């Protein structure tokens, strides 16, 4: 059952309920990056992790598996977080770097199509002001945050024309972004289920906790539900009317950071 974000209970107010779910079980923490750990900034290249959040993640890491799941390339998100001992799942889970450096990539065989689509898209959007193409390892992102409102339909039409020429790519999207990805049944939700199994945390005593703010995080929330357990927290941002499969909300990125501090205090009471 999906609800509007504004109708969700606030995770901070319901903290005792959340900590009861954690008691005596094995948590695993999964975190989106942009808009969850790091404040959204105009230039995605300027996004950084606040110090309070970094300290909380370092504490959490010593008590349970912590995974950062981002649409960014895996190296990019790893370098921005910069903490050893975490799992970095980049490209919406297509590219996973384990703490020991092992790596699991999916969709490598789609590179030719992605790069060809990128060239075509570059031509298709040439006359659309503000449209910004971002080539990624396992995707091509088209940001329209700076496109004038009346040209957004043209932007969508351009990327739709391109994706129709490639049988092996699909069109997805997030906040102010369209994205071409390999046409594989893989997303943050499937990656989450796979990671839980790899971590040996797919049993009934595990309790995955997922914090995310975007549409792509809904796949992970759906996977938590299918798993029969889990704590899904939506970082609300501005758009509190959209529907979500999340179970709780927090108001903004600083509130998400405080929730992580609380989680760290609960899992690490002696520090
Ligand atoms: Mg996000």
């Amino acid at each position: 059952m999906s609800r509007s974000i504004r109708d969700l209970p606030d995770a901070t107010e319901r903290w005792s309920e959340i900590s009861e779910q954690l008691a005596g079980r094995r948590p695993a923490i999964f975190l989106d990056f942009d808009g969850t750990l790091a404040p959204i900034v105009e230039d995605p290249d300027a996004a950084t992790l606040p110090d309070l959040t970094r300290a909380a993640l370092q504490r959490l890491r010593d008590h349970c598996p912590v995974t950062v799941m981002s649409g960014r390339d895996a190296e990019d998100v790893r370098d921005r977080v910069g903490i050893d001992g975490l799992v970095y799942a980049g490209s919406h889970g297509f590219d996973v770097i384990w703490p020991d450096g092992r790596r699991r990539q999916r969709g490598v065989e789609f590179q030719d199509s992605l790069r060809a689509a990128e060239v075509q898209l570059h031509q298709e959007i040439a006359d659309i002001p503000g449209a910004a193409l971002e080539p990624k390892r396992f995707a091509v992102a088209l940001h329209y945050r700076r496109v004038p409102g009346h040209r957004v339909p043209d932007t969508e039409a351009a990327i739709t024309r391109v994706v129709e020429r490639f049988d092996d790519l699909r069109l997805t999207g997030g906040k102010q972004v369209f994205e071409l990805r390999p046409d594989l049944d893989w997303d943050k939700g499937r990656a989450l289920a796979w990671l839980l199994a790899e971590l040996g945390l797919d049993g009934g005593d595990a309790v995955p906790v997922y914090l995310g703010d975007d549409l792509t995080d809904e796949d992970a929330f759906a996977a938590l539900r299918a798993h029969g357990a889990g704590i899904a927290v939506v970082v609300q941002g501005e758009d509190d009317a959209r529907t979500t499969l999340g179970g709780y909300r927090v108001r903004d990125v600083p509130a998400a950071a405080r929730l992580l501090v609380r989680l760290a205090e609960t899992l690490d009471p002696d520090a």
Side-chain angles (χ1 to χ4, degrees), residues 170-191:
R170 68 166 71 162
L171 177 60
T172 64
K175 278 185 184 168
Q176 310 284 312
V177 64
F178 299 117
E179 210 165 80
L180 299 181
R181 284 193 224 163
D183 189 18
L184 278 181
D185 279 330
W186 198 256
D187 53 36
K188 282 184 166 185
R190 288 179 166 87

Side-chain angles (χ1 to χ4, degrees), residues 210-232:
Y210 191 103
L211 268 72
D213 73 307
D214 209 338
L215 298 175
T216 56
D217 299 308
E218 293 295 325
D219 295 321
F221 293 159
L224 288 190
R225 293 200 161 192
H227 192 73
I231 299 166

Side-chain angles (χ1 to χ4, degrees), residues 179-254:
E179 210 165 80
L180 299 181
R181 284 193 224 163
D183 189 18
L184 278 181
D185 279 330
W186 198 256
D187 53 36
K188 282 184 166 185
R190 288 179 166 87
L192 175 80
W194 177 76
L195 285 162
L196 283 171
E198 290 287 310
L199 291 162
L201 287 169
D202 47 352
D205 62 338
V207 51
V209 179
Y210 191 103
L211 268 72
D213 73 307
D214 209 338
L215 298 175
T216 56
D217 299 308
E218 293 295 325
D219 295 321
F221 293 159
L224 288 190
R225 293 200 161 192
H227 192 73
I231 299 166
V233 183
V234 187
V235 184
Q236 181 175 317
E238 298 129 40
D239 182 14
D240 67 352
R242 80 166 167 90
T243 57
T244 178
L245 292 169
Y248 299 92
R249 68 183 161 85
V250 290
R251 198 178 314 114
D252 49 21
V253 171

Side-chain angles (χ1 to χ4, degrees), residues 59-60 62-63 261-271:
R59 278 178 78 183
L60 286 168
D62 296 335
H63 295 274
V261 171
R262 247 177 147 160
L263 258 174
E265 286 165 355
T266 302
L267 301 180
D268 181 25
D270 303 327

Side-chain angles (χ1 to χ4, degrees), residues 32-36 213-214 217:
D32 170 50
F33 184 73
D34 293 278
T36 299
D213 73 307
D214 209 338
D217 299 308

